Amino acid sequence: MRLSQYFLPTLKETPSEAQIVSHRLMLRAGMIRQSSAGIYSWLPLGFRVMKKIEQIVREEQNAIGVHEMLMPTIQPADLWRQSGRYDSYGPEMLRITDRHDRDMLYGPTNEEQITEIFRDAVKSYRDLPQHLYHIQWKFRDEVRPRFGVMRGREFLMKDAYSFDLDFEAAKTTYNKQFVAYLKTFKRMGLTAIPMQAESGPIGGDMSHEFVILAVTGESEIACHRDFLDNDWLDNIDLEGDLQVVVNAFTDKYAATDERRDPEIEKTLGDDLVVARGIEVGHIFYFGKKYSETMGAVVTGPNGEDVTVEMGSYGIGVSRLVGGIIEASHDDDGIIWPQSVAPFQAGLINLKPGDSACDEACEALYQKLIDAGVDVLMDDRDARAGAKFADMDLIGLPWQVVVGPKGLKDGIVEVKNRATGERQEVTPEDAVKKLAG
């Protein structure tokens, strides 16, 4: 992609309404623009990152046999009246009326919708288990939307739902999702700490939220130091026995501020870490809460009616864009992990109009594309300082700098955005390094 032809409206100054790092940097890097309170347009750069995150989430759900579908954003109120949640959910639900005076709502979640779909289609235990997910926009009418995409009213979410015959099968499904979440966040360059959590309006009695550490996190958390120890984390085989993996994490102390245990914390001593965290995922087992009220029943092995066991599993896809920035940035801008970066590399032409620079840049640009490197070439007629500042701001993992001085010696400069390390190499070696 040529930056001269790309829509990337970066800002030099920080907008006054941005209170936290991710909000400031997403606005300055031209990733989002506010439409109304808590609702954002996703511009090309931000959209690319969100789609990268979405794809990782999708691949890890597919890997454990969860089937993707798509449910509507607008749901009938009568569906929620069946579960009893229409009146109890609270003012966060956006209630609307269509032209025929039918009560509708903009879905904050999809337990009712998926239970109806399952109830009307599955009648026998032979068709169990059923595990389904979608990635869809949600709306919750926050009283004070703030912090950009971290606490907006409209957000993109992966929500999965499971239907199992009995508790043991449901627990196995829960454990599969638990481990899938660990893998998902690890692929994004994040260390996610699973913490026992309240179920809230979703309901249920087994629940974990996954929290990443960030100085500007919304809540205080306390955990065992091992959660931050790469040696400990790397020694856990995420491909091993499900229950063993889950126990390895849940046997370690980890709690959000409202669930902290002073007695346990005393025994941890120097192994106790207190920090700020951001919730990026939440999984729930809620048994028969919805299947019982909505009649999701199958014929069991002995011909008896069995009310199925259910769970739900959410990941805030759009929220993760902000969460990753909160966990990975410096004073100059964003530092994207390779797996979710909008482009792998930025190619900077220091002197557009110079025939040698233009020719070398064009040749290197094409070679990088041919090698499978997703590259953004800054071919604008702008000052070198402005180009460097914009590249640091948008946070691509690699920068390749082509200038007249280096070209005289047949070299270009390659910079690692995360470490700041710079190397002078031949254009051919630059391609090998970035494609490797």
Side-chain angles (χ1 to χ4, degrees):
M1 179 62 65
R2 299 173 188 273
L3 189 48
S4 62
Q5 300 172 10
Y6 196 57
F7 185 64
L8 186 63
T10 58
L11 302 173
K12 291 182 180 179
E13 303 298 326
T14 300
S16 58
E17 72 271 18
Q19 300 175 31
I20 64 171
V21 169
S22 60
H23 194 191
R24 292 197 296 267
L25 290 178
M26 289 181 77
L27 289 170
R28 288 196 55 220
M31 296 177 66
I32 58 171
R33 287 294 181 267
Q34 181 170 300
S35 173
S36 59
I39 301 176
Y40 292 87
S41 294
W42 288 78
L43 306 187
L45 195 78
F47 188 68
R48 286 176 74 95
V49 175
M50 186 163 62
K51 297 301 285 186
K52 292 280 187 74
I53 291 171
E54 178 184 326
Q55 186 58 26
I56 291 173
V57 171
R58 174 177 288 112
E59 289 170 4
E60 293 300 328
Q61 289 295 293
N62 293 349
I64 60 170
V66 192
H67 304 294
E68 187 170 11
M69 59 181 298
L70 186 63
M71 289 177 276
T73 57
I74 304 298
Q75 303 177 32
D78 285 346
L79 201 54
W80 283 62
R81 290 188 175 111
Q82 291 179 37
S83 71
R85 282 208 301 173
Y86 183 70
D87 294 319
S88 65
Y89 196 89
E92 290 78 22
M93 180 190 290
L94 181 62
R95 295 164 170 83
I96 54 182
T97 304
D98 70 10
R99 67 193 298 168
H100 301 292
D101 290 326
R102 289 177 294 218
D103 292 331
M104 310 290 284
L105 58 99
Y106 193 133
T109 184
N110 283 77
E111 280 78 12
E112 284 81 2
Q113 187 85 70
I114 195 68
T115 303
E116 180 190 49
I117 292 169
F118 172 89
R119 179 190 66 196
D120 294 347
V122 179
K123 303 300 181 183
S124 169
Y125 78 97
R126 298 180 187 278
D127 296 321
L128 294 179
Q130 291 293 335
H131 302 152
L132 304 163
Y133 79 99
H134 74 159
I135 299 173
Q136 179 61 291
W137 290 95
K138 303 283 191 291
F139 190 92
R140 293 176 190 166
D141 200 2
E142 295 275 355
V143 62
R144 285 186 299 274
R146 53 194 174 134
F147 304 152
V149 302
M150 296 296 293
R151 188 168 294 179
R153 294 193 294 165
E154 185 183 54
F155 52 95
L156 187 64
M157 184 175 177
K158 184 281 299 183
D159 40 323
Y161 302 92
S162 61
F163 300 86
D164 289 286
L165 186 62
D166 54 34
F167 173 75
E168 286 305 317
K171 185 178 180 182
T172 298
T173 298
Y174 187 92
N175 287 346
K176 283 183 179 179
Q177 286 285 1
F178 189 106
V179 176
Y181 273 43
L182 295 174
K183 293 178 182 178
T184 298
F185 298 126
K186 186 175 183 179
R187 285 183 61 185
M188 296 176 193
L190 299 170
T191 297
I193 303 171
M195 300 191 175
Q196 189 174 353
E198 302 291 344
S199 296
I202 300 291
D205 54 14
M206 186 164 67
S207 172
H208 285 87
E209 64 182 52
F210 290 77
V211 175
I212 60 172
L213 299 185
V215 174
T216 54
E218 60 202 334
S219 59
E220 186 174 84
I221 66 170
C223 65
H224 195 286
R225 188 173 298 280
D226 281 352
F227 280 114
L228 312 182
D229 183 347
N230 286 332
D231 289 337
W232 182 77
L233 291 168
D234 290 342
N235 283 331
I236 299 175
D237 179 11
L238 296 182
E239 303 298 331
D241 181 271
L242 281 175
Q243 194 62 60
V244 171
V245 175
V246 171
N247 289 348
F249 283 88
T250 56
D251 286 348
K252 294 286 184 182
Y253 177 74
T256 52
D257 48 5
E258 68 272 11
R259 298 179 67 94
R260 291 177 60 181
D261 188 325
E263 294 303 314
I264 295 178
E265 292 183 11
K266 280 182 185 178
T267 66
L268 290 179
D270 292 340
D271 285 331
L272 177 68
V273 174
V274 179
R276 308 293 299 180
I278 298 169
E279 181 191 339
V280 290
H282 209 151
I283 61 177
F284 307 86
Y285 160 76
F286 40 67
K288 301 175 182 178
K289 176 180 172 66
Y290 298 96
S291 53
E292 202 161 57
T293 57
M294 297 185 67
V297 175
V298 298
T299 302
N302 299 320
E304 77 284 12
D305 285 346
V306 178
T307 303
V308 296
E309 303 276 344
M310 290 179 61
S312 72
Y313 316 88
I315 289 180
V317 175
S318 55
R319 180 183 176 85
L320 266 166
V321 181
I324 291 171
I325 293 172
E326 293 289 336
S328 185
H329 67 273
D330 61 16
D331 291 341
D332 295 320
I334 303 164
I335 303 174
W336 290 117
Q338 184 87 14
S339 59
V340 299
F343 299 91
Q344 292 171 261
L347 176 59
I348 302 172
N349 184 346
L350 287 183
K351 197 171 181 181
D354 179 272
S355 58
C357 282
D358 289 347
E359 184 178 331
C361 267
E362 287 294 334
L364 186 51
Y365 178 63
Q366 193 58 53
K367 287 177 182 177
L368 286 167
I369 291 174
D370 291 344
V373 178
D374 204 0
V375 59
L376 177 66
M377 181 168 69
D378 191 343
D379 57 342
R380 299 173 299 170
D381 184 12
R383 293 181 299 104
K387 293 186 175 187
F388 290 139
D390 278 349
M391 280 297 173
D392 282 345
L393 174 62
I394 65 176
L396 307 184
W398 297 97
Q399 297 174 18
V400 182
V401 183
V402 178
K405 184 178 178 181
L407 286 178
K408 289 178 182 178
D409 298 322
I411 59 173
V412 297
E413 182 181 84
V414 177
K415 174 185 171 182
N416 183 304
R417 175 68 180 91
T419 66
E421 178 188 0
R422 300 170 187 268
Q423 288 183 289
E424 291 185 338
V425 298
T426 64
E428 291 75 19
D429 285 342
V431 174
K432 290 178 183 177
K433 187 175 185 67
L434 270 61

